[in-house]
Amino acid sequence: MSNSYSLMIHGGAGALEDLKHEASESTFHQSITAILEQGRQRLAQGDRALDVVEYCVSLLEDDRLYNAGCGSVLNADGQVEMDAAVMNGRDLKAGAVAGIKQIKNPIALARRVLEHGEHVLLMGDGALEFAKFCEIEIYPASYFITAARIQQLAAVQVSGGMTLDHERVKPSQKLGTVGAVARDLQGNLAAATSTGGLVNKRWGRVGDTPIVGAGVFADNETCAVSATGYGEQFLRTVLAKTISDLIQFKDLDAAAAAQAGIDYLVRKVNGDGGVIVIDAMGRCASAQSTSGLIRGWIEHGGEAYCKLG
Ligand code: ASP
């Protein structure tokens, strides 16, 4: 199995009970499976894990089903502010952007930060200026905002608080943060995560997604991880790196480490969310404390699977 590829993607965690009875269940299945198959083609022809996770996440960002890129949730001011990060397990290089607006594919900008190499994380106006320097197109704010997101924000503002995208919203609005992890034919691992964050978040709030070790992590010696859930809880538990450490220091495999990580998240901070993990042997796993986690995987070049619960 050492010379086979594996790929896993997610479309967010949350309360998905209603979704199982909705026509949209098949919509998610179709979307996840189509993106997995496109990622498979690239991995099978020998493309690098780093390129494939960026590619899969950019496809997820372009799909209005998910809370990333166009279709991102709205902050308390009714604006889209996005976070994204990508990490290469071969050399621990990482690139991330936080609180960015008007960039069609935040993960592509995060990748430019990684390639540029000078910094790991750029935010807000500085990130936008870097995008212009990289000749990345700036989109109008209206491209990102959907009618469903305006309704969702209004509903959350009436009840107060902040929510995960999937939580306490109508089934038709159950959409989510996105991520991808991969192992390529050379045995390299990579991880990428992208999000619009939490509905009704304070402007300027940054979650776990662009923070290396919290919402994303990759190390060829251990695993690649992408997380989704309440960002503050993943920040406080440094969850993606914790899962890597469980593999490094406790010799767990992907499944045991993913579950032990989520157990730790729940025990320490009563956390809500989920993770997808591929370990150095290419084994795919996920674990979650929410009732739903939209995910799909191809293990060791085999069949593509998709699960929502
Ligand atoms: N983790 C993301 C955040 O807190 C939200 C999510 O995964 O749905 O920004």
Side-chain angles (χ1 to χ4, degrees):
M1 292 302 172
S2 60
N3 60 351
S4 64
Y5 62 82
S6 294
L7 174 64
M8 191 157 196
I9 63 176
H10 74 78
L16 297 182
E17 285 83 0
D18 299 337
L19 184 66
K20 295 186 185 129
H21 307 292
E22 292 291 312
S24 49
E25 182 175 350
S26 66
T27 314
F28 280 114
H29 268 279
Q30 275 167 22
S31 164
I32 292 288
T33 308
I35 292 169
L36 275 176
E37 291 299 345
Q38 290 176 81
R40 178 207 291 280
Q41 276 182 19
R42 304 257 328 240
L43 283 169
Q45 74 190 23
D47 284 8
R48 292 191 301 167
L50 183 63
D51 294 328
V52 175
V53 294
E54 178 193 342
Y55 174 63
C56 290
V57 166
S58 70
L59 294 175
L60 290 157
E61 287 173 339
D62 289 344
D63 191 330
R64 282 171 190 267
L65 274 176
Y66 306 102
N67 170 22
C70 66
S72 283
V73 300
L74 303 181
N75 69 12
D77 288 351
Q79 295 190 4
V80 165
E81 281 184 311
M82 301 169 288
D83 303 331
V86 61
M87 186 162 185
N88 192 5
R90 191 166 64 87
D91 50 17
L92 303 197
K93 282 189 178 164
V97 289
I100 59 161
K101 297 175 181 170
Q102 297 182 260
I103 301 294
K104 177 172 167 281
N105 291 113
I107 201 65
L109 185 56
R111 176 70 188 273
R112 294 298 187 93
V113 175
L114 180 154
E115 295 301 339
H116 202 246
E118 193 181 6
H119 301 301
V120 168
L121 172 60
L122 292 179
M123 58 165 276
D125 289 346
L128 203 62
E129 197 172 299
F130 179 69
K132 288 178 189 157
F133 165 78
C134 297
E135 297 180 353
I136 287 179
E137 196 180 344
I138 308 300
Y139 275 63
S142 58
Y143 166 78
F144 299 87
I145 300 179
T146 63
R149 293 310 192 186
I150 294 171
Q151 279 172 24
Q152 181 188 41
L153 177 65
V156 171
Q157 285 183 331
V158 165
S159 58
M162 268 186 333
T163 70
L164 280 181
D165 182 23
H166 294 291
E167 204 179 36
R168 297 196 294 271
V169 293
K170 291 197 187 99
S172 58
Q173 297 173 347
K174 289 178 181 297
L175 321 167
T177 284
V178 305
V181 290
R183 180 188 189 276
D184 63 28
L185 289 175
Q186 289 75 43
N188 291 309
L189 298 174
T193 314
S194 180
T195 190
L198 299 180
V199 187
N200 202 28
K201 65 186 180 181
R202 188 182 283 272
W203 75 263
R205 175 265 188 190
V206 174
D208 60 316
T209 298
I211 306 301
V212 169
V216 69
F217 195 73
D219 179 348
N220 276 4
E221 283 183 15
T222 57
C223 63
V225 183
S226 173
T228 170
Y230 265 101
E232 284 70 9
Q233 298 161 346
F234 284 74
L235 283 165
R236 290 161 60 208
T237 51
V238 200
L239 204 77
K241 178 66 161 69
T242 296
I243 289 171
S244 170
D245 285 350
L246 285 162
I247 291 177
Q248 181 108 61
F249 303 117
K250 293 219 160 182
D251 218 16
L252 302 188
D253 64 11
Q259 191 55 55
I262 291 295
D263 291 347
Y264 178 75
L265 177 79
V266 171
R267 183 163 57 82
K268 284 297 197 182
V269 297
N270 197 21
D272 283 325
V275 289
I276 58 170
V277 181
I278 292 181
D279 67 21
M281 301 298 290
R283 292 173 292 221
C284 295
S286 65
Q288 79 235 37
S289 60
T290 47
S291 55
L293 173 63
I294 299 168
R295 64 207 183 278
W297 66 96
I298 293 170
E299 190 175 61
H300 300 138
E303 209 176 316
Y305 295 96
C306 175
K307 267 185 102 167
L308 306 187

